[in-house]
């Protein structure tokens, strides 16, 4: 039985501007949101300092350990805090190569689960470790609505209770993030989203204001690199949603609708043509008493449910 379990949520980029480059990295201005697709990360202590990560699902078993950010996160945690190691199991539900932040979610999930396992409360240090692993990994530690700037490591939480409903279109092929950025450099897009207006619209719970500022500078290069992304966009646009866009560097595409019923209607029309999922945004748990809880740590009830799922029981 695992001693600690956490959820680590996927994200979508509601807006993604490229504002230049510095020290070999592209500078971003993005509004991101967690959605209700998550990987479950489980851990139990070891007596030595080793980190063993076992991946399950969606072909993740084939990720080499030396290329797995979850492994790197665990090793960095042990080095930073001087703890013992852990055996870690990651059960994937976040589609890979879809621009939903799956790799970053797993790295952040490992940091969160080890912090729970070893009672580490230094969130600042955890954020530093996360930032060393990937541009949006620090954001994934907490998730929710946030504006990301710099390389993505500067995180400004956005306070909104607005729930957004989307239909995700998931082409079979992923898009290489480095190739997508290189293609953008060859064909830069002069258009810009107004992330500030989008953030303000979220704070007002103004759906139309959000929709008007959905944009992704990487959309065109993603379509050039993978024709299935353009096809997914065509499917999304065919329903005339208030907004649609690629998320991250692709290949995933989201269509934003005013409610879940519209999502179900659109999904029924493309059944069998392209893989889709109905999703909605997820808000972190609010402040509890005087302490700020990690929003993605499973409650006792959720822990029991996860344990039943491991044993093949319905939950």
């Amino acid at each position: 039985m695992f001693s600690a379990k956490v959820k680590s949520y996927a994200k979508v980029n509601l807006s993604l501007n490229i504002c230049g480059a510095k020290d070999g990295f592209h500078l971003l201005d993005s509004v991101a949101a967690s959605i209700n697709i998550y990987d479950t990360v489980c851990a139990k202590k070891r007596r030595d300092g080793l980190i063993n990560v076992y991946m399950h699902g969606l072909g993740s078993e084939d990720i080499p350990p030396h290329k797995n950010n979850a492994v790197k996160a665990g090793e960095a945690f042990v080095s930073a805090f001087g703890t013992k190691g852990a055996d870690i199991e990651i059960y994937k539900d976040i589609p890979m190569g879809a621009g939903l932040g799956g790799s970053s979610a797993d790295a952040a999930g490992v940091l969160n689960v080890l912090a729970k396992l070893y009672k580490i409360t230094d969130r600042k240090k955890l954020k530093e470790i996360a930032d060393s692993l990937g541009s949006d990994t620090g954001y994934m530690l907490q998730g929710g609505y946030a504006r990301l700037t710099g390389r993505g490591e500067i995180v400004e939480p956005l306070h909104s209770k607005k729930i957004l409903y989307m239909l995700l279109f998931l082409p079979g092929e992923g898009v290489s993030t480095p190739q997508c950025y290189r293609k953008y450099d060859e064909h830069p897009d002069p258009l810009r989203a107004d992330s500030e207006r989008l953030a303000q619209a979220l704070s007002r719970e103004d759906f139309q204001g959000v929709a008007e500022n959905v944009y992704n500078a990487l959309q065109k290069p993603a379509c050039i690199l993978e024709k299935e992304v353009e096809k997914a966009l065509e499917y999304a646009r065919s329903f005339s949603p208030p907004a649609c866009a690629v998320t991250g560097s692709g290949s995933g595409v989201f269509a934003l609708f005013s409610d879940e019923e519209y999502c179900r209607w659109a999904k029924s029309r493309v059944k069998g043509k392209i893989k889709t999922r109905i999703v909605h945004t997820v808000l972190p748990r609010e402040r509890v008493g005087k302490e700020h809880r990690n929003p993605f740590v499973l409650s006792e009830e959720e822990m029991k449910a996860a344990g039943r799922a491991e044993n093949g029981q319905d939950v």
Side-chain angles (χ1 to χ4, degrees):
M1 181 67 181
F2 289 100
S3 304
K5 296 183 177 73
V6 301
K7 298 174 181 177
S8 205
Y9 285 87
K11 59 82 183 169
V12 294
N13 299 93
L14 297 173
S15 67
L16 196 162
N17 291 320
I18 297 178
C19 308
K22 182 179 180 181
D23 300 327
F25 292 95
H26 289 82
L27 300 177
L28 310 178
D29 185 1
S30 175
V31 173
S34 299
I35 57 172
N36 62 326
I37 300 176
Y38 59 87
D39 292 347
T40 303
V41 186
C42 315
K44 60 184 177 182
K45 294 180 181 179
R46 292 181 58 89
R47 295 180 179 179
D48 55 26
L50 294 178
I51 291 290
N52 293 324
V53 176
Y54 305 94
M55 308 293 295
H56 305 277
L58 305 181
S60 61
E61 298 87 352
D62 297 329
I63 302 173
H66 68 280
K67 292 186 177 181
N68 191 336
N69 270 357
V71 176
K72 295 176 183 178
E75 292 173 346
F77 180 96
V78 170
S79 176
F81 295 109
T83 64
K84 298 291 187 181
D87 291 323
I88 300 168
E89 308 256 357
I90 298 178
Y91 297 89
K92 288 206 61 72
D93 189 40
I94 302 174
M96 298 194 298
L100 299 172
S103 175
S104 296
D106 291 342
V110 166
L111 294 177
N112 278 331
V113 80
L114 291 179
K116 183 183 182 186
L117 190 66
Y118 284 107
K119 296 179 172 57
I120 298 296
T121 59
D122 189 345
R123 303 300 297 177
K124 182 178 179 181
K125 184 64 177 177
L126 286 170
K127 173 70 163 53
E128 290 175 2
I129 298 171
D131 288 340
S132 72
L133 297 167
S135 296
D136 60 356
T137 309
Y139 156 69
M140 303 294 266
L141 282 173
Q142 295 284 349
Y145 290 121
R147 188 171 178 181
L148 314 180
T149 53
R151 294 185 290 107
E153 85 285 3
I154 302 172
V155 181
E156 176 192 351
L158 301 175
H159 301 287
S160 175
K161 295 182 179 180
K162 181 66 176 175
I163 304 298
L164 299 176
Y165 295 90
M166 307 171 203
L167 182 61
L168 273 181
F169 296 79
L170 299 166
E173 298 297 325
V175 175
S176 164
T177 299
Q179 287 184 26
C180 199
Y181 277 102
R182 285 196 291 270
K183 188 62 68 174
Y184 173 87
D185 291 336
E186 295 173 9
H187 305 280
D189 189 344
L191 297 176
R192 289 280 180 90
D194 194 325
S195 292
E196 178 62 28
R197 285 189 179 181
L198 202 159
Q200 290 176 0
L202 280 172
S203 69
R204 298 192 305 269
E205 300 188 18
D206 174 8
F207 175 81
Q208 189 59 36
V210 170
E212 288 173 356
N213 290 284
V214 167
Y215 165 84
N216 187 340
L218 295 176
Q219 182 163 295
K220 183 176 179 179
C223 290
I224 293 172
L225 290 168
E226 179 50 62
K227 297 303 180 185
E228 291 300 311
V229 177
E230 179 61 41
K231 187 178 295 186
L233 274 168
E234 289 174 1
Y235 279 125
R237 290 170 179 147
S238 71
F239 300 109
S240 300
C244 62
V246 167
T247 177
S249 58
S251 60
V253 170
F254 66 90
L256 181 65
F257 290 98
S258 58
D259 59 40
E260 187 174 357
E261 185 177 349
Y262 277 113
C263 292
R264 294 191 181 282
W265 168 77
K267 181 179 176 66
S268 70
R269 297 301 189 273
V270 294
K271 187 175 181 180
K273 298 176 182 177
I274 185 172
K275 184 177 180 181
T276 57
R277 291 184 70 164
I278 296 170
V279 301
H280 60 76
T281 52
V282 174
L283 307 178
R285 295 186 178 120
E286 296 296 329
R287 188 177 296 274
V288 179
K290 295 182 179 180
E291 299 298 325
H292 203 90
R293 285 186 59 190
N294 184 326
F296 298 153
V297 173
L298 273 66
S299 66
E300 184 176 348
E301 181 179 341
E302 291 168 327
M303 287 270 287
K304 290 178 181 177
R308 293 196 299 272
E310 284 178 26
N311 294 324
Q313 300 176 35
D314 292 333
V315 295

